[in-house]
Amino acid sequence: MRFAVTERDTALAEAAGEVLAKQAGAEQIRAGWPGGRTESVDAVWRTLAGVGVTGALVPENTDGNDLGLGLDENALPPLLETLGRSGLPVPAAETVAVGAPLLAAAGAPQLPSVLRGSALLTVSLAPDAPVPFAARADLIAVPHGDGLRLYPRDEVETEPVGSVDGSRLLARVHAPAGGGLLLAEGPDELAVVYRRGVLATAALLVGLAGRMLELTVAHVRERHQFGVPVGSFQAVKHALADVELAVRFARPAVLAAGWAQAAGDPETAVRTSMAKVLASEAARKAARTAIQCHGAMGYTTEYDLHLYAKRAWALAADWGGPTEHREFIARRLGIAGAAGIASEGADT
């Protein structure tokens, strides 16, 4: 099978990339950490919303709003990889792939503000787990009662939780017994929502891996030892080549998962889990290799590398870690002893 990203999907990713190249950098990532000034992050997010990022999967002309692009899941890999590469601390997967389409389907009155980027939306399908960006989101969708429900911030209690990546602003969310807008219910509907979140997170990880590789290649070209660039040493070249190989294996798997979701392929769940495994491993390998190749400075918080590495570690474990998705794939292959560990979301 041959894959090719459509011109429209490519155009959206390129438009987002142009915005991020001009407005987003390490300064914006640091601004997302506790105590940072998030105004610049919010400004970039609104600009991205203006080019249609938040409405990528929202049907066109929904409720008279012109920010819905009506694209399908094929648009997610190139767009989310671009967002992941930037490291911008926003709930991209939660909004673009999961939340916005659900708000559109439910006729939620908050949809226009989400599509304009003026309201920050986050989503989690893991019951009782810390919710990314819940510490500052305006709208929070969490499992409650009979399904996934949307709450305005003033209707829930939030309890901040520490994270390896402080810019994700994790918080536990305590929703009231009643209230909230029902966005999705039932195992089939929730499985579709879950797989979109997994796909988007996998694409973010591919972008992060690529960014860490770029930073490291630039460093080993410039850094000299014994009168030659560090990057000329065979051990360094081989390590970075392994990262490039991992990224090249992961990217088509993520594209294939997007195609499978859009086409309703019977193996969608397996393809999606495979994409998350390969993307998580590529990003972890990139983080480990990048830190090793940078030497001691790779560990310092003054240098930008840790911002991307910590995001990669956090996202690799989010929406199901590699072990969880491997267990699911193994059960589908009929491998004995693999049952009973994968989550309900990955199992559907």
Side-chain angles (χ1 to χ4, degrees):
M1 183 177 295
R2 298 182 61 188
F3 291 101
V5 180
T6 67
E7 290 185 8
R8 194 175 183 189
D9 295 342
T10 300
L12 178 59
E14 290 178 347
E18 290 176 4
V19 171
L20 293 165
K22 295 176 181 176
Q23 301 185 23
E27 181 181 349
Q28 279 66 43
I29 304 176
R30 294 179 186 277
W33 282 66
R37 298 175 60 86
T38 57
E39 291 86 349
S40 62
V41 178
D42 295 337
V44 179
W45 188 235
R46 287 194 296 272
T47 305
L48 289 170
V51 301
V53 167
T54 52
L57 299 194
V58 172
E60 295 177 295
N61 299 316
T62 300
D63 295 332
N65 199 303
D66 61 356
L67 291 178
L69 299 185
L71 303 177
D72 60 25
E73 289 87 346
N74 283 303
L76 294 177
L79 176 59
L80 272 294
E81 181 178 340
T82 301
L83 292 168
R85 184 182 298 273
S86 76
L88 190 70
V90 291
E94 291 79 4
T95 299
V96 178
V98 181
L102 289 176
L103 264 63
Q110 299 94 338
L111 179 63
S113 59
V114 170
L115 295 185
R116 289 194 298 269
S118 57
L120 199 64
L121 167 67
T122 189
V123 181
S124 175
L125 267 65
D128 304 322
V131 180
F133 301 97
R136 77 181 192 94
D138 303 294
L139 300 165
I140 303 172
V142 290
H144 194 72
D146 51 356
L148 183 70
R149 289 183 171 271
L150 177 72
Y151 300 90
R153 177 170 195 78
D154 57 5
E155 287 189 11
V156 299
E157 295 180 4
T158 57
E159 175 188 352
V161 177
S163 168
V164 64
D165 176 13
S167 69
R168 282 165 55 80
L169 297 174
L170 290 179
R172 294 191 186 281
V173 176
H174 305 285
L181 175 64
L182 182 64
L183 296 179
E185 62 180 339
D188 292 342
E189 196 171 349
L190 290 172
V192 172
V193 174
Y194 176 79
R195 288 196 289 266
R196 279 185 178 173
V198 174
L199 169 63
T201 304
L204 288 172
L205 285 163
V206 172
L208 281 165
R211 179 57 179 150
M212 287 186 283
L213 183 60
E214 290 172 355
L215 283 173
T216 308
V217 169
H219 172 74
V220 300
R221 280 177 171 167
E222 184 176 332
R223 174 82 170 168
H224 283 63
Q225 286 287 342
F226 309 111
V228 296
V230 172
S232 66
F233 299 147
Q234 189 176 54
V236 174
K237 288 192 289 188
H238 285 189
L240 294 176
D242 285 344
V243 174
E244 174 69 17
L245 193 63
V247 174
R248 291 195 182 195
F249 267 107
R251 183 178 289 117
V254 177
L255 287 167
W259 168 82
Q261 292 190 20
D265 182 73
E267 296 300 323
T268 294
V270 170
R271 293 182 187 278
T272 303
S273 287
M274 185 173 70
K276 183 61 164 55
V277 170
L278 293 175
S280 297
E281 290 185 341
R284 284 176 172 173
K285 182 186 286 289
R288 181 173 62 252
T289 304
I291 290 173
Q292 289 174 339
C293 290
H294 275 81
M297 67 183 290
Y299 290 91
T300 63
T301 55
E302 290 81 4
Y303 190 64
D304 295 340
L305 177 60
H306 82 100
L307 300 171
Y308 303 97
K310 290 173 179 174
R311 180 73 57 76
W313 294 330
L315 290 180
D318 203 8
W319 294 90
T323 300
E324 186 175 325
H325 285 287
R326 270 202 184 90
E327 292 287 352
F328 170 69
I329 295 170
R331 283 209 314 281
R332 283 297 187 93
L333 293 175
I335 298 176
I341 300 180
S343 72
E344 291 183 1
D347 197 22
T348 51

PDB file of all heavy atoms in Angstrom, residues 118-154:
ATOM      1  N   SER A 118      -9.940  31.051  22.233  1.00  0.00           N
ATOM      2  CA  SER A 118     -10.123  31.939  23.391  1.00  0.00           C
ATOM      3  C   SER A 118     -10.487  31.153  24.649  1.00  0.00           C
ATOM      4  O   SER A 118     -10.409  31.696  25.758  1.00  0.00           O
ATOM      5  CB  SER A 118     -11.196  32.987  23.096  1.00  0.00           C
ATOM      6  OG  SER A 118     -12.422  32.374  22.733  1.00  0.00           O
ATOM      7  N   ALA A 119     -10.920  29.906  24.500  1.00  0.00           N
ATOM      8  CA  ALA A 119     -11.190  29.034  25.645  1.00  0.00           C
ATOM      9  C   ALA A 119     -10.312  27.803  25.521  1.00  0.00           C
ATOM     10  O   ALA A 119     -10.279  27.146  24.475  1.00  0.00           O
ATOM     11  CB  ALA A 119     -12.662  28.627  25.690  1.00  0.00           C
ATOM     12  N   LEU A 120      -9.586  27.491  26.581  1.00  0.00           N
ATOM     13  CA  LEU A 120      -8.684  26.335  26.561  1.00  0.00           C
ATOM     14  C   LEU A 120      -9.452  25.095  27.015  1.00  0.00           C
ATOM     15  O   LEU A 120     -10.053  25.076  28.092  1.00  0.00           O
ATOM     16  CB  LEU A 120      -7.497  26.587  27.494  1.00  0.00           C
ATOM     17  CG  LEU A 120      -6.255  25.723  27.261  1.00  0.00           C
ATOM     18  CD1 LEU A 120      -5.663  26.003  25.884  1.00  0.00           C
ATOM     19  CD2 LEU A 120      -5.220  25.979  28.347  1.00  0.00           C
ATOM     20  N   LEU A 121      -9.417  24.076  26.169  1.00  0.00           N
ATOM     21  CA  LEU A 121     -10.172  22.841  26.405  1.00  0.00           C
ATOM     22  C   LEU A 121      -9.207  21.675  26.614  1.00  0.00           C
ATOM     23  O   LEU A 121      -8.237  21.523  25.879  1.00  0.00           O
ATOM     24  CB  LEU A 121     -11.065  22.546  25.195  1.00  0.00           C
ATOM     25  CG  LEU A 121     -11.697  21.149  25.102  1.00  0.00           C
ATOM     26  CD1 LEU A 121     -12.714  20.929  26.215  1.00  0.00           C
ATOM     27  CD2 LEU A 121     -12.348  20.958  23.732  1.00  0.00           C
ATOM     28  N   THR A 122      -9.480  20.861  27.619  1.00  0.00           N
ATOM     29  CA  THR A 122      -8.689  19.645  27.796  1.00  0.00           C
ATOM     30  C   THR A 122      -9.614  18.465  28.045  1.00  0.00           C
ATOM     31  O   THR A 122     -10.777  18.645  28.453  1.00  0.00           O
ATOM     32  CB  THR A 122      -7.684  19.779  28.945  1.00  0.00           C
ATOM     33  OG1 THR A 122      -6.800  18.644  28.933  1.00  0.00           O
ATOM     34  CG2 THR A 122      -8.378  19.837  30.291  1.00  0.00           C
ATOM     35  N   VAL A 123      -9.088  17.265  27.803  1.00  0.00           N
ATOM     36  CA  VAL A 123      -9.899  16.043  27.889  1.00  0.00           C
ATOM     37  C   VAL A 123      -9.036  14.912  28.468  1.00  0.00           C
ATOM     38  O   VAL A 123      -7.843  14.818  28.178  1.00  0.00           O
ATOM     39  CB  VAL A 123     -10.404  15.601  26.494  1.00  0.00           C
ATOM     40  CG1 VAL A 123     -11.261  14.346  26.609  1.00  0.00           C
ATOM     41  CG2 VAL A 123     -11.159  16.715  25.811  1.00  0.00           C
ATOM     42  N   SER A 124      -9.638  14.078  29.267  1.00  0.00           N
ATOM     43  CA  SER A 124      -8.994  12.832  29.696  1.00  0.00           C
ATOM     44  C   SER A 124     -10.042  11.732  29.737  1.00  0.00           C
ATOM     45  O   SER A 124     -11.175  11.956  30.167  1.00  0.00           O
ATOM     46  CB  SER A 124      -8.355  12.995  31.073  1.00  0.00           C
ATOM     47  OG  SER A 124      -7.832  11.749  31.514  1.00  0.00           O
ATOM     48  N   LEU A 125      -9.650  10.540  29.285  1.00  0.00           N
ATOM     49  CA  LEU A 125     -10.555   9.391  29.354  1.00  0.00           C
ATOM     50  C   LEU A 125     -10.177   8.433  30.474  1.00  0.00           C
ATOM     51  O   LEU A 125     -10.809   7.390  30.628  1.00  0.00           O
ATOM     52  CB  LEU A 125     -10.568   8.641  28.021  1.00  0.00           C
ATOM     53  CG  LEU A 125     -11.657   9.049  27.023  1.00  0.00           C
ATOM     54  CD1 LEU A 125     -11.442  10.484  26.558  1.00  0.00           C
ATOM     55  CD2 LEU A 125     -11.700   8.108  25.826  1.00  0.00           C
ATOM     56  N   ALA A 126      -9.120   8.757  31.210  1.00  0.00           N
ATOM     57  CA  ALA A 126      -8.663   7.880  32.286  1.00  0.00           C
ATOM     58  C   ALA A 126      -9.331   8.289  33.599  1.00  0.00           C
ATOM     59  O   ALA A 126      -9.042   9.363  34.131  1.00  0.00           O
ATOM     60  CB  ALA A 126      -7.150   7.970  32.412  1.00  0.00           C
ATOM     61  N   PRO A 127     -10.229   7.452  34.129  1.00  0.00           N
ATOM     62  CA  PRO A 127     -10.937   7.819  35.359  1.00  0.00           C
ATOM     63  C   PRO A 127      -9.970   8.054  36.516  1.00  0.00           C
ATOM     64  O   PRO A 127      -9.048   7.286  36.740  1.00  0.00           O
ATOM     65  CB  PRO A 127     -11.833   6.595  35.624  1.00  0.00           C
ATOM     66  CG  PRO A 127     -11.943   5.897  34.312  1.00  0.00           C
ATOM     67  CD  PRO A 127     -10.644   6.141  33.606  1.00  0.00           C
ATOM     68  N   ASP A 128     -10.188   9.155  37.224  1.00  0.00           N
ATOM     69  CA  ASP A 128      -9.439   9.493  38.438  1.00  0.00           C
ATOM     70  C   ASP A 128      -7.965   9.801  38.196  1.00  0.00           C
ATOM     71  O   ASP A 128      -7.219  10.005  39.152  1.00  0.00           O
ATOM     72  CB  ASP A 128      -9.550   8.370  39.484  1.00  0.00           C
ATOM     73  CG  ASP A 128     -10.999   8.048  39.839  1.00  0.00           C
ATOM     74  OD1 ASP A 128     -11.793   9.002  39.920  1.00  0.00           O
ATOM     75  OD2 ASP A 128     -11.326   6.860  40.002  1.00  0.00           O
ATOM     76  N   ALA A 129      -7.524   9.790  36.967  1.00  0.00           N
ATOM     77  CA  ALA A 129      -6.118  10.097  36.683  1.00  0.00           C
ATOM     78  C   ALA A 129      -5.944  11.611  36.556  1.00  0.00           C
ATOM     79  O   ALA A 129      -6.892  12.320  36.202  1.00  0.00           O
ATOM     80  CB  ALA A 129      -5.676   9.412  35.395  1.00  0.00           C
ATOM     81  N   PRO A 130      -4.745  12.125  36.832  1.00  0.00           N
ATOM     82  CA  PRO A 130      -4.502  13.554  36.610  1.00  0.00           C
ATOM     83  C   PRO A 130      -4.763  13.938  35.155  1.00  0.00           C
ATOM     84  O   PRO A 130      -4.434  13.180  34.235  1.00  0.00           O
ATOM     85  CB  PRO A 130      -3.020  13.711  36.975  1.00  0.00           C
ATOM     86  CG  PRO A 130      -2.725  12.585  37.902  1.00  0.00           C
ATOM     87  CD  PRO A 130      -3.570  11.442  37.419  1.00  0.00           C
ATOM     88  N   VAL A 131      -5.348  15.104  34.969  1.00  0.00           N
ATOM     89  CA  VAL A 131      -5.728  15.565  33.632  1.00  0.00           C
ATOM     90  C   VAL A 131      -4.742  16.628  33.159  1.00  0.00           C
ATOM     91  O   VAL A 131      -4.523  17.618  33.870  1.00  0.00           O
ATOM     92  CB  VAL A 131      -7.151  16.157  33.649  1.00  0.00           C
ATOM     93  CG1 VAL A 131      -7.552  16.628  32.251  1.00  0.00           C
ATOM     94  CG2 VAL A 131      -8.145  15.133  34.186  1.00  0.00           C
ATOM     95  N   PRO A 132      -4.122  16.435  31.985  1.00  0.00           N
ATOM     96  CA  PRO A 132      -3.173  17.434  31.506  1.00  0.00           C
ATOM     97  C   PRO A 132      -3.851  18.780  31.246  1.00  0.00           C
ATOM     98  O   PRO A 132      -4.964  18.826  30.728  1.00  0.00           O
ATOM     99  CB  PRO A 132      -2.631  16.822  30.204  1.00  0.00           C
ATOM    100  CG  PRO A 132      -3.656  15.825  29.793  1.00  0.00           C
ATOM    101  CD  PRO A 132      -4.250  15.300  31.047  1.00  0.00           C
ATOM    102  N   PHE A 133      -3.181  19.838  31.666  1.00  0.00           N
ATOM    103  CA  PHE A 133      -3.617  21.215  31.461  1.00  0.00           C
ATOM    104  C   PHE A 133      -4.877  21.584  32.257  1.00  0.00           C
ATOM    105  O   PHE A 133      -5.425  22.665  32.083  1.00  0.00           O
ATOM    106  CB  PHE A 133      -3.832  21.525  29.971  1.00  0.00           C
ATOM    107  CG  PHE A 133      -2.604  21.314  29.142  1.00  0.00           C
ATOM    108  CD1 PHE A 133      -2.407  20.137  28.440  1.00  0.00           C
ATOM    109  CD2 PHE A 133      -1.607  22.274  29.101  1.00  0.00           C
ATOM    110  CE1 PHE A 133      -1.252  19.919  27.699  1.00  0.00           C
ATOM    111  CE2 PHE A 133      -0.445  22.074  28.365  1.00  0.00           C
ATOM    112  CZ  PHE A 133      -0.273  20.891  27.659  1.00  0.00           C
ATOM    113  N   ALA A 134      -5.329  20.674  33.125  1.00  0.00           N
ATOM    114  CA  ALA A 134      -6.533  20.979  33.906  1.00  0.00           C
ATOM    115  C   ALA A 134      -6.298  22.110  34.898  1.00  0.00           C
ATOM    116  O   ALA A 134      -7.252  22.744  35.353  1.00  0.00           O
ATOM    117  CB  ALA A 134      -7.001  19.728  34.650  1.00  0.00           C
ATOM    118  N   ALA A 135      -5.021  22.369  35.234  1.00  0.00           N
ATOM    119  CA  ALA A 135      -4.741  23.427  36.202  1.00  0.00           C
ATOM    120  C   ALA A 135      -5.074  24.809  35.660  1.00  0.00           C
ATOM    121  O   ALA A 135      -5.216  25.754  36.441  1.00  0.00           O
ATOM    122  CB  ALA A 135      -3.271  23.373  36.634  1.00  0.00           C
ATOM    123  N   ARG A 136      -5.195  24.930  34.313  1.00  0.00           N
ATOM    124  CA  ARG A 136      -5.529  26.257  33.795  1.00  0.00           C
ATOM    125  C   ARG A 136      -6.558  26.238  32.654  1.00  0.00           C
ATOM    126  O   ARG A 136      -6.839  27.269  32.056  1.00  0.00           O
ATOM    127  CB  ARG A 136      -4.270  26.998  33.338  1.00  0.00           C
ATOM    128  CG  ARG A 136      -3.667  26.588  32.005  1.00  0.00           C
ATOM    129  CD  ARG A 136      -2.437  27.409  31.733  1.00  0.00           C
ATOM    130  NE  ARG A 136      -1.955  27.269  30.358  1.00  0.00           N
ATOM    131  CZ  ARG A 136      -2.273  28.086  29.379  1.00  0.00           C
ATOM    132  NH1 ARG A 136      -3.086  29.107  29.606  1.00  0.00           N
ATOM    133  NH2 ARG A 136      -1.784  27.916  28.152  1.00  0.00           N
ATOM    134  N   ALA A 137      -7.104  25.081  32.361  1.00  0.00           N
ATOM    135  CA  ALA A 137      -8.085  24.987  31.265  1.00  0.00           C
ATOM    136  C   ALA A 137      -9.408  25.643  31.655  1.00  0.00           C
ATOM    137  O   ALA A 137      -9.802  25.641  32.822  1.00  0.00           O
ATOM    138  CB  ALA A 137      -8.310  23.534  30.889  1.00  0.00           C
ATOM    139  N   ASP A 138     -10.083  26.204  30.652  1.00  0.00           N
ATOM    140  CA  ASP A 138     -11.405  26.807  30.879  1.00  0.00           C
ATOM    141  C   ASP A 138     -12.505  25.757  30.832  1.00  0.00           C
ATOM    142  O   ASP A 138     -13.544  25.908  31.479  1.00  0.00           O
ATOM    143  CB  ASP A 138     -11.677  27.869  29.802  1.00  0.00           C
ATOM    144  CG  ASP A 138     -10.606  28.931  29.773  1.00  0.00           C
ATOM    145  OD1 ASP A 138     -10.497  29.672  30.765  1.00  0.00           O
ATOM    146  OD2 ASP A 138      -9.874  29.003  28.767  1.00  0.00           O
ATOM    147  N   LEU A 139     -12.282  24.717  30.036  1.00  0.00           N
ATOM    148  CA  LEU A 139     -13.272  23.656  29.861  1.00  0.00           C
ATOM    149  C   LEU A 139     -12.575  22.317  30.050  1.00  0.00           C
ATOM    150  O   LEU A 139     -11.490  22.098  29.494  1.00  0.00           O
ATOM    151  CB  LEU A 139     -13.899  23.715  28.463  1.00  0.00           C
ATOM    152  CG  LEU A 139     -14.640  25.008  28.110  1.00  0.00           C
ATOM    153  CD1 LEU A 139     -14.883  25.077  26.599  1.00  0.00           C
ATOM    154  CD2 LEU A 139     -15.957  25.075  28.859  1.00  0.00           C
ATOM    155  N   ILE A 140     -13.198  21.419  30.815  1.00  0.00           N
ATOM    156  CA  ILE A 140     -12.572  20.142  31.133  1.00  0.00           C
ATOM    157  C   ILE A 140     -13.580  19.020  30.893  1.00  0.00           C
ATOM    158  O   ILE A 140     -14.686  19.040  31.442  1.00  0.00           O
ATOM    159  CB  ILE A 140     -12.104  20.110  32.597  1.00  0.00           C
ATOM    160  CG1 ILE A 140     -11.143  21.281  32.886  1.00  0.00           C
ATOM    161  CG2 ILE A 140     -11.425  18.786  32.915  1.00  0.00           C
ATOM    162  CD1 ILE A 140     -10.790  21.430  34.350  1.00  0.00           C
ATOM    163  N   ALA A 141     -13.184  18.044  30.077  1.00  0.00           N
ATOM    164  CA  ALA A 141     -14.035  16.882  29.818  1.00  0.00           C
ATOM    165  C   ALA A 141     -13.399  15.650  30.464  1.00  0.00           C
ATOM    166  O   ALA A 141     -12.241  15.326  30.171  1.00  0.00           O
ATOM    167  CB  ALA A 141     -14.202  16.659  28.317  1.00  0.00           C
ATOM    168  N   VAL A 142     -14.135  15.011  31.339  1.00  0.00           N
ATOM    169  CA  VAL A 142     -13.633  13.829  32.056  1.00  0.00           C
ATOM    170  C   VAL A 142     -14.731  12.770  32.131  1.00  0.00           C
ATOM    171  O   VAL A 142     -15.926  13.088  32.032  1.00  0.00           O
ATOM    172  CB  VAL A 142     -13.177  14.199  33.491  1.00  0.00           C
ATOM    173  CG1 VAL A 142     -11.917  15.043  33.460  1.00  0.00           C
ATOM    174  CG2 VAL A 142     -14.296  14.902  34.244  1.00  0.00           C
ATOM    175  N   PRO A 143     -14.333  11.513  32.320  1.00  0.00           N
ATOM    176  CA  PRO A 143     -15.341  10.455  32.487  1.00  0.00           C
ATOM    177  C   PRO A 143     -16.111  10.663  33.789  1.00  0.00           C
ATOM    178  O   PRO A 143     -15.518  10.924  34.831  1.00  0.00           O
ATOM    179  CB  PRO A 143     -14.512   9.166  32.561  1.00  0.00           C
ATOM    180  CG  PRO A 143     -13.162   9.529  32.056  1.00  0.00           C
ATOM    181  CD  PRO A 143     -12.968  10.970  32.363  1.00  0.00           C
ATOM    182  N   HIS A 144     -17.418  10.538  33.682  1.00  0.00           N
ATOM    183  CA  HIS A 144     -18.230  10.669  34.896  1.00  0.00           C
ATOM    184  C   HIS A 144     -19.589  10.033  34.639  1.00  0.00           C
ATOM    185  O   HIS A 144     -20.222  10.320  33.622  1.00  0.00           O
ATOM    186  CB  HIS A 144     -18.408  12.143  35.279  1.00  0.00           C
ATOM    187  CG  HIS A 144     -18.945  12.322  36.679  1.00  0.00           C
ATOM    188  ND1 HIS A 144     -18.167  12.068  37.797  1.00  0.00           N
ATOM    189  CD2 HIS A 144     -20.146  12.714  37.137  1.00  0.00           C
ATOM    190  CE1 HIS A 144     -18.883  12.296  38.885  1.00  0.00           C
ATOM    191  NE2 HIS A 144     -20.092  12.696  38.505  1.00  0.00           N
ATOM    192  N   GLY A 145     -19.989   9.175  35.539  1.00  0.00           N
ATOM    193  CA  GLY A 145     -21.286   8.540  35.391  1.00  0.00           C
ATOM    194  C   GLY A 145     -21.358   7.693  34.141  1.00  0.00           C
ATOM    195  O   GLY A 145     -20.582   6.745  33.969  1.00  0.00           O
ATOM    196  N   ASP A 146     -22.225   8.088  33.223  1.00  0.00           N
ATOM    197  CA  ASP A 146     -22.500   7.255  32.055  1.00  0.00           C
ATOM    198  C   ASP A 146     -21.654   7.580  30.834  1.00  0.00           C
ATOM    199  O   ASP A 146     -21.895   7.051  29.751  1.00  0.00           O
ATOM    200  CB  ASP A 146     -23.981   7.375  31.681  1.00  0.00           C
ATOM    201  CG  ASP A 146     -24.417   8.832  31.558  1.00  0.00           C
ATOM    202  OD1 ASP A 146     -23.581   9.719  31.831  1.00  0.00           O
ATOM    203  OD2 ASP A 146     -25.583   9.071  31.206  1.00  0.00           O
ATOM    204  N   GLY A 147     -20.695   8.455  30.964  1.00  0.00           N
ATOM    205  CA  GLY A 147     -19.890   8.762  29.790  1.00  0.00           C
ATOM    206  C   GLY A 147     -18.905   9.882  30.030  1.00  0.00           C
ATOM    207  O   GLY A 147     -18.561  10.188  31.176  1.00  0.00           O
ATOM    208  N   LEU A 148     -18.455  10.472  28.930  1.00  0.00           N
ATOM    209  CA  LEU A 148     -17.525  11.593  28.991  1.00  0.00           C
ATOM    210  C   LEU A 148     -18.339  12.889  29.047  1.00  0.00           C
ATOM    211  O   LEU A 148     -19.162  13.155  28.174  1.00  0.00           O
ATOM    212  CB  LEU A 148     -16.632  11.591  27.749  1.00  0.00           C
ATOM    213  CG  LEU A 148     -15.546  12.657  27.681  1.00  0.00           C
ATOM    214  CD1 LEU A 148     -14.438  12.394  28.709  1.00  0.00           C
ATOM    215  CD2 LEU A 148     -14.947  12.722  26.272  1.00  0.00           C
ATOM    216  N   ARG A 149     -18.078  13.699  30.072  1.00  0.00           N
ATOM    217  CA  ARG A 149     -18.874  14.911  30.265  1.00  0.00           C
ATOM    218  C   ARG A 149     -17.982  16.154  30.292  1.00  0.00           C
ATOM    219  O   ARG A 149     -16.851  16.105  30.781  1.00  0.00           O
ATOM    220  CB  ARG A 149     -19.689  14.819  31.563  1.00  0.00           C
ATOM    221  CG  ARG A 149     -20.830  13.823  31.459  1.00  0.00           C
ATOM    222  CD  ARG A 149     -21.694  13.776  32.700  1.00  0.00           C
ATOM    223  NE  ARG A 149     -22.875  12.970  32.459  1.00  0.00           N
ATOM    224  CZ  ARG A 149     -24.028  13.445  31.972  1.00  0.00           C
ATOM    225  NH1 ARG A 149     -24.148  14.734  31.737  1.00  0.00           N
ATOM    226  NH2 ARG A 149     -25.051  12.636  31.758  1.00  0.00           N
ATOM    227  N   LEU A 150     -18.534  17.231  29.779  1.00  0.00           N
ATOM    228  CA  LEU A 150     -17.833  18.513  29.699  1.00  0.00           C
ATOM    229  C   LEU A 150     -18.302  19.425  30.830  1.00  0.00           C
ATOM    230  O   LEU A 150     -19.507  19.608  31.034  1.00  0.00           O
ATOM    231  CB  LEU A 150     -18.108  19.180  28.347  1.00  0.00           C
ATOM    232  CG  LEU A 150     -17.502  20.568  28.154  1.00  0.00           C
ATOM    233  CD1 LEU A 150     -15.985  20.479  27.997  1.00  0.00           C
ATOM    234  CD2 LEU A 150     -18.133  21.253  26.938  1.00  0.00           C
ATOM    235  N   TYR A 151     -17.320  20.029  31.521  1.00  0.00           N
ATOM    236  CA  TYR A 151     -17.629  20.940  32.619  1.00  0.00           C
ATOM    237  C   TYR A 151     -16.890  22.259  32.430  1.00  0.00           C
ATOM    238  O   TYR A 151     -15.697  22.264  32.088  1.00  0.00           O
ATOM    239  CB  TYR A 151     -17.185  20.348  33.967  1.00  0.00           C
ATOM    240  CG  TYR A 151     -17.842  19.039  34.313  1.00  0.00           C
ATOM    241  CD1 TYR A 151     -17.267  17.833  33.932  1.00  0.00           C
ATOM    242  CD2 TYR A 151     -19.027  19.002  35.045  1.00  0.00           C
ATOM    243  CE1 TYR A 151     -17.863  16.621  34.240  1.00  0.00           C
ATOM    244  CE2 TYR A 151     -19.628  17.793  35.367  1.00  0.00           C
ATOM    245  CZ  TYR A 151     -19.039  16.610  34.957  1.00  0.00           C
ATOM    246  OH  TYR A 151     -19.622  15.416  35.275  1.00  0.00           O
ATOM    247  N   PRO A 152     -17.577  23.366  32.675  1.00  0.00           N
ATOM    248  CA  PRO A 152     -16.838  24.633  32.796  1.00  0.00           C
ATOM    249  C   PRO A 152     -15.959  24.573  34.034  1.00  0.00           C
ATOM    250  O   PRO A 152     -16.247  23.847  34.986  1.00  0.00           O
ATOM    251  CB  PRO A 152     -17.950  25.681  32.957  1.00  0.00           C
ATOM    252  CG  PRO A 152     -19.197  25.001  32.517  1.00  0.00           C
ATOM    253  CD  PRO A 152     -19.019  23.545  32.811  1.00  0.00           C
ATOM    254  N   ARG A 153     -14.913  25.341  34.017  1.00  0.00           N
ATOM    255  CA  ARG A 153     -13.947  25.274  35.115  1.00  0.00           C
ATOM    256  C   ARG A 153     -14.584  25.539  36.480  1.00  0.00           C
ATOM    257  O   ARG A 153     -14.211  24.934  37.476  1.00  0.00           O
ATOM    258  CB  ARG A 153     -12.830  26.285  34.866  1.00  0.00           C
ATOM    259  CG  ARG A 153     -11.826  26.333  35.967  1.00  0.00           C
ATOM    260  CD  ARG A 153     -10.599  27.134  35.632  1.00  0.00           C
ATOM    261  NE  ARG A 153      -9.570  26.819  36.601  1.00  0.00           N
ATOM    262  CZ  ARG A 153      -8.840  25.718  36.560  1.00  0.00           C
ATOM    263  NH1 ARG A 153      -9.013  24.863  35.586  1.00  0.00           N
ATOM    264  NH2 ARG A 153      -7.948  25.470  37.480  1.00  0.00           N
ATOM    265  N   ASP A 154     -15.545  26.457  36.526  1.00  0.00           N
ATOM    266  CA  ASP A 154     -16.121  26.830  37.820  1.00  0.00           C
ATOM    267  C   ASP A 154     -17.090  25.773  38.363  1.00  0.00           C
ATOM    268  O   ASP A 154     -17.627  25.930  39.457  1.00  0.00           O
ATOM    269  CB  ASP A 154     -16.820  28.195  37.734  1.00  0.00           C
ATOM    270  CG  ASP A 154     -17.900  28.228  36.665  1.00  0.00           C
ATOM    271  OD1 ASP A 154     -18.180  27.168  36.056  1.00  0.00           O
ATOM    272  OD2 ASP A 154     -18.471  29.305  36.437  1.00  0.00           O
TER     273      ASP A 154
END
